[in-house]
Amino acid sequence: MKIGIPAETLPGEQRVATTPEVVKKLVAKGFTILIESGAGTAACYPDAEFAAAGAQLVDRSAVFDADLVLKVRRPTADEAAAVRTGTVYISLLESCGADALVAEMTHRGVQVLGMERMPRISRAQAMDALSSQSNIAGYRAVIEAAAHNKRFFPAMMTAAGAAKPARVVVLGAGVAGLQAIATARRLGADVHAYDVRPETREQILSLGAKPIELDLGESGAGAGGYARELSAEAKAKQQAALANELVRAQVIITTALIPCRPAPELITTDVIERLRPGAVVVDLAAANGGNCKLTVADQVIEHQGVTLIGYTNYPSRVATDASSFYAKNLMNLLDIMVEKTTDELRLRDLQNDEITRAMLIAAD
């Protein structure tokens, strides 16, 4: 059974869907790995390491002629057209609702699986790419904040005087938010965190941060561990109550996202203009409109002395480890998709497992 790994073509994307370590394990299981030459270079995985692990270095057309095609990001129109009938295609599809590109693939007989559709159940944790990549995003967000901040994160004592720890506020305590809290605490910051879901309070406390508690008159807890959208009245209460907490911060990291909906606005222009000059806002929701409407996607801007960071692909900024995590997510997924008979590998019926059934885009 052949696995094709194409190079990622989206501008700024440095990850790759497998690594030499994972290739070696897949080859040992009986897979033939076809990887596009140069696919891992940006993630610091040179061709020579893939070849030494047992992969075959091929041109771009050959990787799409495999039995399974594995990518990180959504396919382009040319890539979708290159995948042959009968192939299983797997990546982060980055789509909500109707998707003409994916529909065209499924109607041609390609079985398309979206990594973001992984169900949040115990069995699927080792395959959960959204969590593995969000974890990296939360870490990198703090590193970006520290690099742009003009003050220390930890308390500092010197003969010349003392500096208090930076006050960091993290909005959203999902996977990215919790990692941001943990990273900021490791750097010595005074961390405060807020989430609309009341069950996150204990998690925030367990990481050494202080929970910000607001009475909105309703809960933001949604299905599957995600937040749900608040009512207009609750949103207004939230913005007003948060403002007094936010204006005291030197660093704000926002991670609030609702799947397939515009990012909720948590930081108003008024709050930005009340922050002290030198404050830094890292908006992890920039790709979905931003938790601050002043954020500009993929840019770092200043507004009245406040730096707003709107990068939309933090895992790519830690491409080596992000690729490693993602590759292992895929390898664990293949373990439930493919069975080994006496003389060959055989694809199981993807409808017969609750994980692959949830991930599968059906033609009808």
Side-chain angles (χ1 to χ4, degrees), residues 23-31 331-332 334-335 340 345:
V23 164
K24 189 173 183 179
K25 293 177 180 178
L26 291 174
V27 169
K29 293 179 180 182
F31 291 98
M331 181 178 69
N332 292 330
L334 293 178
D335 282 344
K340 188 168 186 177
L345 296 175

Side-chain angles (χ1 to χ4, degrees), residues 239-240 242-248 252 266-276 281 292 294 303 306:
Q239 282 189 353
L242 267 179
N244 292 331
E245 292 286 343
L246 297 177
V247 296
R248 299 162 58 197
I252 303 172
L266 301 180
I267 307 176
T268 62
T269 299
D270 175 66
V271 167
I272 295 294
E273 294 177 349
R274 289 170 61 192
L275 289 168
R276 288 181 58 83
V281 176
C292 175
L294 293 173
H303 182 85
V306 176

Side-chain angles (χ1 to χ4, degrees), residues 166-234:
R167 185 183 179 95
V168 175
V169 173
V170 177
L171 299 180
V175 175
L178 292 171
Q179 182 56 247
I181 292 167
T183 303
R185 285 291 299 138
R186 285 196 293 269
L187 291 178
D190 174 25
V191 183
H192 301 249
Y194 171 73
D195 195 288
V196 293
R197 297 166 298 156
E199 63 267 25
T200 62
R201 183 178 184 277
E202 288 185 8
Q203 295 171 303
I204 292 168
L205 286 169
S206 72
L207 293 172
K210 304 174 184 71
I212 297 170
E213 299 179 273
L214 308 177
D215 183 8
L216 304 180
E218 63 183 75
S219 169
Y226 292 102
R228 69 168 181 83
E229 190 168 15
L230 296 171
S231 66
E233 180 183 1

Side-chain angles (χ1 to χ4, degrees), residues 49-71:
E49 291 187 8
F50 281 114
Q56 298 178 24
L57 298 168
V58 298
D59 63 22
R60 188 161 183 79
S61 61
V63 298
F64 290 102
D65 195 38
D67 302 296
L68 297 100
V69 174
L70 310 182
K71 277 185 89 271

Side-chain angles (χ1 to χ4, degrees), residues 254-266:
T254 74
T255 70
L257 279 171
I258 300 165
C260 294
R261 302 294 291 272
E265 183 178 6
L266 301 180

Side-chain angles (χ1 to χ4, degrees), residues 11-27:
E13 182 55 73
Q14 300 186 78
R15 288 171 290 178
V16 64
T18 197
T19 64
E21 176 191 2
V22 169
V23 164
K24 189 173 183 179
K25 293 177 180 178
L26 291 174
V27 169

Side-chain angles (χ1 to χ4, degrees), residues 4-10 13-18 34-42 47 58-61 63-64 69-76 79 89:
I5 309 289
E8 300 296 320
T9 56
L10 193 72
E13 182 55 73
Q14 300 186 78
R15 288 171 290 178
V16 64
T18 197
L34 308 177
I35 185 163
E36 182 179 352
S37 183
T41 302
D47 285 350
V58 298
D59 63 22
R60 188 161 183 79
S61 61
V63 298
F64 290 102
V69 174
L70 310 182
K71 277 185 89 271
V72 179
R73 303 298 298 272
R74 175 181 175 80
T76 64
E79 289 168 345
Y89 174 90

